Amino acid sequence: MTDTEYVREIARLKKEMNAVILAHYYQEPEIQDVADFIGDSLDLSRRAAATEADVIVFAGVLFMAETAKILSPQKLVLIPDVNAGCSLAEGCPGDAFRAMRREHPEHISITYINCSADVKAASDIICTSSNAEKIIRQIPADRPIFFAPDRNLGRYLSKKTGRQMLLWNGSCVVHETFSTTKLLALQLEHPDAELIAHPECEDPILTRAAFIGSTSALLKHVAQSSRTSFIIATEPGIIHQMKKAAPEKEFIPAPPEANCACNNCPYMKLNTLEKLYRCMINRAPYVELDPDVRERARLPIEKMLQMS
Ligand code: 13P
Ligand code: SF4
């Protein structure tokens, strides 16, 4: 089938199944264009909790679809490719996470949403890049914090809030790929471009950034700013919406270290229009979670929603 036929069939199936398509900003443009809602991790969690559709089709990665299932357990949650994982989730296995918690029983655990349902179930509070600072500021000053699994986001939050935190040693394969040397050369070529970055980036990039935020915050910033040119240090999928929000402005992807497209998330980019169509027609693959894990994982996510 051609892309146009997939788009038409997806629209037909959506009506027939009473489905809603949720997509993350790192999805391919053609997937973003068929979605009912596009957002960052927090926006997508809120949407998944509030939808009245019978079926949620999640065009993102597995931890996002699992969060949707945890918040809406009675709904069928479809995912175009079950192999769409995340290096942060994969670098934080449940057993090792629980062992760390046992070693530090006095610490409250604030866990970034980029983790498995198993890890969520063993956490006190979940956060995303858009609400982490707000949540940390609500924790009493004398309570030690264990932050997992992204050490870059954790380090950034420590600096921002002045809170020392015990950090899990994980990182995102995409956000640690940006080259400082190439970035400096790019800034010389484009002296008027403003560098903006996602907080999963490493410290040398973050210290040079004029604005740091979640994907939604970056999008809002470029739309509202009086600047007309930006260097974007995050996954370049977000540029599709930036161009729509501010067509007259210039968006330059920050360069990766190697001569490859490794600033593209290899997990997010597993999803295609064809796989999206196939998961709808087959009503599979779908997210299935152990009910006990699902229930325990719901509590720290709900806590996050209350605190943000
Ligand atoms: P956001 O919540 O900012 O969209 O981040 C999700 C993500 O996976 C970033 O790499
Ligand atoms: Fe995970 Fe990084 Fe991909 Fe986001 S961009 S889904 S953090 S691997």
Side-chain angles (χ1 to χ4, degrees):
M1 284 204 288
T2 62
D3 276 7
T4 317
E5 286 164 332
Y6 281 128
V7 170
R8 198 182 53 223
E9 280 303 289
I10 288 167
R12 180 184 67 76
L13 286 166
K14 210 170 64 172
K15 269 201 194 133
E16 203 175 284
M17 301 165 77
N18 187 25
V20 64
I21 302 179
L22 305 183
H24 188 264
Y25 290 120
Y26 296 164
Q27 291 295 287
E28 296 286 7
E30 61 274 20
I31 294 186
Q32 295 188 33
D33 291 347
V34 295
D36 296 295
F37 182 76
I38 316 161
D40 69 5
S41 305
L42 180 62
D43 303 328
L44 291 167
S45 310
R46 286 185 169 139
R47 274 296 159 128
T51 182
E52 287 185 355
D54 295 320
V55 179
I56 298 173
V57 185
F58 214 114
V61 290
L62 188 59
F63 77 80
M64 295 177 174
E66 283 183 345
T67 305
K69 184 68 183 177
I70 292 164
L71 290 168
S72 291
Q74 72 290 359
K75 297 190 196 298
L76 176 67
V77 179
L78 299 171
I79 178 156
D81 191 321
V82 272
N83 295 315
C86 167
S87 65
L88 281 166
E90 284 163 20
C92 188
D95 286 348
F97 180 81
R98 281 186 290 273
M100 186 82 154
R101 290 226 59 192
R102 280 194 299 274
E103 277 170 41
H104 301 277
E106 70 288 1
H107 285 63
I108 187 165
S109 82
I110 302 183
T111 312
Y112 191 32
I113 198 162
N114 297 39
C115 64
S116 66
D118 193 25
V119 166
K120 287 185 177 75
S123 301
D124 294 319
I125 310 170
I126 299 303
C127 70
T128 74
S129 54
S130 54
N131 60 19
E133 183 183 340
K134 191 171 180 186
I135 289 174
I136 289 169
R137 291 194 190 279
Q138 291 174 62
I139 308 300
D142 57 352
R143 185 85 198 268
I145 299 173
F146 166 41
F147 187 86
D150 188 353
R151 62 165 186 262
N152 292 315
L153 176 62
R155 194 187 302 112
Y156 164 73
L157 291 165
S158 272
K159 270 196 187 173
K160 196 94 206 273
T161 61
R163 290 290 290 258
Q164 282 300 316
M165 300 194 288
L166 174 66
L167 302 181
W168 185 273
N169 190 19
S171 62
C172 158
V173 278
V174 174
H175 290 88
E176 66 180 5
T177 196
F178 299 117
S179 156
T180 314
T181 320
K182 287 190 185 174
L183 177 66
L184 292 174
L186 190 67
Q187 285 183 304
L188 286 176
E189 258 177 65
H190 301 270
D192 294 331
E194 183 181 60
L195 173 67
I196 62 169
H198 193 279
E200 287 176 18
C201 289
E202 291 181 317
D203 198 48
I205 303 290
L206 293 181
T207 49
R208 286 170 174 82
F211 181 83
I212 298 167
S214 74
T215 50
S216 288
L218 296 176
L219 179 58
K220 199 168 158 199
H221 177 78
V222 300
Q224 290 177 349
S225 168
S226 56
R227 305 288 288 262
T228 55
S229 176
F230 302 87
I231 298 175
I232 313 295
T234 191
E235 216 273 5
I238 185 77
I239 294 176
H240 182 56
Q241 294 304 322
M242 288 178 169
K243 282 183 180 160
K244 285 191 181 186
E248 72 291 357
K249 296 187 181 179
E250 178 185 37
F251 306 105
I252 310 159
E257 194 74 60
N259 291 321
C260 63
C262 40
N263 53 350
N264 277 294
C265 175
Y267 306 100
M268 289 276 183
K269 287 338 197 223
L270 282 177
N271 295 335
T272 61
L273 262 190
E274 181 180 350
K275 288 184 198 171
L276 186 67
Y277 161 75
R278 291 206 179 284
C279 83
M280 292 176 83
I281 199 116
N282 297 329
R283 295 178 80 86
Y286 55 85
V287 178
E288 206 171 11
L289 292 170
D290 174 271
D292 174 55
V293 172
R294 200 188 64 213
E295 271 311 292
R296 283 186 293 118
R298 190 171 55 83
L299 304 176
I301 300 175
E302 283 181 352
K303 193 128 201 211
M304 164 186 88
L305 295 174
Q306 287 155 16
M307 291 174 83
S308 50

